Amino acid sequence: MTSFDVIVIGGGHNGLVAATTLGRAGRKVLVLEAAGEIGGAARTEEFFPGFRVSSIAHVLNRLHPEVVKILELEKHGLAFERQATPSVALSTTDDPLVLRGAYGESLDGATDSEAAAWRELRALLFRYAGILKPFLARRPPDLADMSLSETSALAMAGLSLKRLGKEDMRDFLRMLLMNVADVLDEHLEDDRLKGLLAFDAVLGSHLGPRSPTSLLGLYYRLAGEIGGVPGAQLLPKGGMGAIIAAMGASASAAGIVVRSNAEVAKILVEKGRAVGVALQNDEQIRAKTIVSAINPSSTFSLVGSRELDTGFVRKVKNIRMMGDAAKLHLALDRPPEFLGVRTEDHRGRLVIAPSTDHVERAFNPSKYGEFSPEPVMEITLPSLADPSLAPDGACVLSAVVQYAPYALGEGWEAGKPKFLNAIMAQLEAHAPGIAKSIRHTELLTPLDIEQRYRMPGGHWHHGELQADQMLMSRPVSGAAGYSTPVDGLYLCGAGSHPGGGVSGVPGLNAARHIIAMKA
Amino acid sequence: MAKTARKTNASTRPPRAALQGHFRTLRLPSPLQPRIDALAKTEDWYTWAGYKAPLSLWDEELEYFTIRSQAAAFDISPMVKYRIEGADAEAFCNRVTLRDVSKLKPGRVHYTAWCDDAGHVLDDGTLFRLAPTHFRLCCQERHLPWLLDSTIGFDVMVEEETEAVAGLALQGPTSLAVLRDAGFAGVEKLKIFDLAEFPHESGMVAISRTGFTGDLGYELFVPAKLALSLWDRLFEVGRLHGIRAIGYTALNRARIEAGLIVANADFVTAEHAIRGDRLRLPDEIGLGFMVDAEKPHFNGRRTILAARANRSMKHVLVGLEIEGNIPAEHAIVYHRQKREVGLVSAAIWSPMAKRNIAIASLSRPYGDTVTDDLWVEIYAMRELKYERLMKRARIVPRPFIKLERRTANPPANV
């Protein structure tokens, strides 16, 4: 039997990035994927005969350029469309507002004064997100034990802060932990624009726009870039699975062996050191380095609390990771028509979040275990740009819907049909007639996402991405920076710094860390 | 996964106020309080873990000699006690504590300690294995949240039983005779650190050949409601064997002679330490012998072994013999009479060893590789004036006294 230097648990995008980076550095790497195919929550899947959709992640906005470069993704079939996808703030009472270019380089449908205010705020947000960007790209600072290069990188970030000038620096620090609603109120008037920005700030987290620190979510988004354009977004041709296909090809080229239907049952630890894994079928595979791309709490469950310290187990148990977002897939007879939206703009990202207050009100019930009666959502119609995703003339709708608390008080079995009704009422209000064109509906609650994609809490970030669970506290102190208390065991998934979204950064950083450790 | 519901299940709790009666009695009475109160001639009390406990009862000198020549009864009910039970009880104890619990047979007791993730000692105490899946952990400080969090992933329940279980230490050369005459048949078969249960009235009393005196002695644990009748049973037959109740001052002398340390007296426990440099790894307080690198994982293993490998231990706990006869309590330890290298945490003139002895914490390398030319600075108050004495100190092994009767088999049947 072939022996491997490294076993990567989980063939999601971060697992593939870590595996390929290590493989290209000369390691013999085996990727173990529990499901029948690689890709995790970034697959393209058929949800109804002839209809395919990006499973969870459906908008690409932060795939890191170094990941594209190192994995040679473009050589392996990834094609970026040069035209950025617009974001459309839908409204039932007004015309939609369209943010064109990279996150609203221009604004359609706003007054001149609002457009000017937005230009100013947009520049400010990008400037400040730019300060955070290096922190969100590198390994998190290790307060106890930092190498010279890490220290100097941190110093550079400090320097860029200094370069801002006194006023800007003061404002950056003032705003850092603010809630997004207050920031928007300081700058903008238009409810549609504020609603969209508020929605984007809290997308994928258990926060409302008025929750302290909610602005960080927007910074996180704007620190991403696509094709060298900060803030840009696109719907990948072929769905998110196309990214995975390119990564898979890159992995093969690097000699990575991928085994699917290989669910790890246990991480084997001997004298404080990870020495291999045992699969569900009791097969044992040994390797000197074990890299886990799966959720941190799942990872440490595989280790078992007997091999870990009490304080550490307590910290892992306290990671907040109850998802609050659902995913909706509709197979439609024909493309829907959203009120006032130009035909070509239907290819963009359509957002139902009519105001900050609306988003906040949608959030409120979720704190008490109830879903939003008037949910907010981000809708894409990927088959418009890529007809291969749906049969002739038909259309796929993919939407991320908030808020859908993982621990729904009444339970999701009872709650799911009611929540679907609430979602459909919103869709029908914005795209009259859509309900009549539905051939098939698939609604994935956080519970479904948990079960289908093995993500505890159904949380696509593998843990809330909030200030207390970022940087050296992600996923917990003691396991930040990709090393864990178990020698030879590393984390490389979204649960590690910087966090989720299809970026590949945790995977890349973890691999680089492992390579540097060895040297 | 079985976990105790008693302390954590909010829904079954009575209203909060009803649970918070403790503050109405600043010093809780022990289950043995009526008997101790009746003997308390000196009215010399202190607080032990929230309980009213005697420093002395009639004469601290004579109480000390009761330990060494008769049978001394010392109420250990205030000691914090946890009941640990379940299929994974052994694995749980093995993960929490330093020593290898798989080597602790049912009916045996061992002295152990436990650490946090950083390897800093949370407490030391005794672990009683009452049955294959039933343990009792006795210690100085409260640890329920820590122990409950430690149950994650183990089929075990942990329950505080400090109030439910009374404890009585019976120490001294005639202690076996008292127990024998009280009718605990077979108690003479107990070897040091053995443990067995004996019937007492409606229940059972767990008797172990353990203690905190370095002498022949036993510890008895009994349901609180049977505590007084147990006391009476011993005192009735014990009169002719010289049984007397004692307070902590006498016990403290005996334990210093035995070289035993007390949490938060000789070291600061990790959860009580406010200052970062007061935290101690086991090897820094003389408990390194407990650390078993070969056993399965335990809390703090990684950092303790790393500190050993890096030789980064900063402190060492030593026994000192000091010239003269003035106890050096809380004296500063010097190297070459100049460099401050540590502090004495406990010191007495030892009546048994006839030596001036002390337990001290030193900063390495002093006490580790540099052991010569050590001095202690004693300030002796003499009629409103300090006499400053610089006395030579020599590192000596602990215990300071070794009594054959402590481990003799069978024990002397006085």
Side-chain angles (χ1 to χ4, degrees), chain B residues 335-394:
Chain B
H335 184 243
R336 292 186 176 151
Q337 302 197 32
K338 262 165 73 186
R339 177 193 279 268
E340 194 180 315
V341 297
L343 185 84
V344 171
S345 54
I348 55 161
W349 165 260
S350 163
M352 290 295 279
K354 305 282 185 281
R355 290 188 290 158
N356 197 23
I357 59 171
I359 294 170
S361 282
L362 306 185
S363 301
R364 294 179 194 232
Y366 303 98
D368 180 25
T369 51
V370 183
T371 55
D372 64 328
D373 222 348
L374 294 174
W375 300 77
V376 296
E377 185 184 38
I378 305 169
Y379 283 81
M381 179 67 92
R382 296 286 177 264
E383 296 183 324
L384 292 184
K385 197 184 163 201
Y386 272 123
E387 304 274 345
R388 179 176 167 274
L389 311 166
M390 191 61 97
K391 294 289 184 186
R392 193 175 277 280
R394 200 161 54 83

Side-chain angles (χ1 to χ4, degrees), chain B residues 196-253:
Chain B
E197 290 200 286
F198 299 84
H200 173 67
E201 298 206 325
S202 58
M204 299 296 277
V205 51
I207 302 181
S208 55
R209 189 166 164 190
T210 51
F212 209 52
T213 58
D215 216 308
L216 173 65
Y218 299 84
E219 288 173 320
L220 295 78
F221 291 93
V222 69
K225 63 179 192 309
L226 300 179
L228 290 175
S229 64
L230 178 66
W231 178 283
D232 294 342
R233 183 173 170 183
L234 299 178
F235 273 70
E236 247 169 66
V237 300
R239 219 156 35 91
L240 291 175
H241 296 294
I243 191 171
R244 300 295 299 262
I246 63 157
Y248 182 69
T249 308
L251 182 82
N252 190 45
R253 289 197 200 183

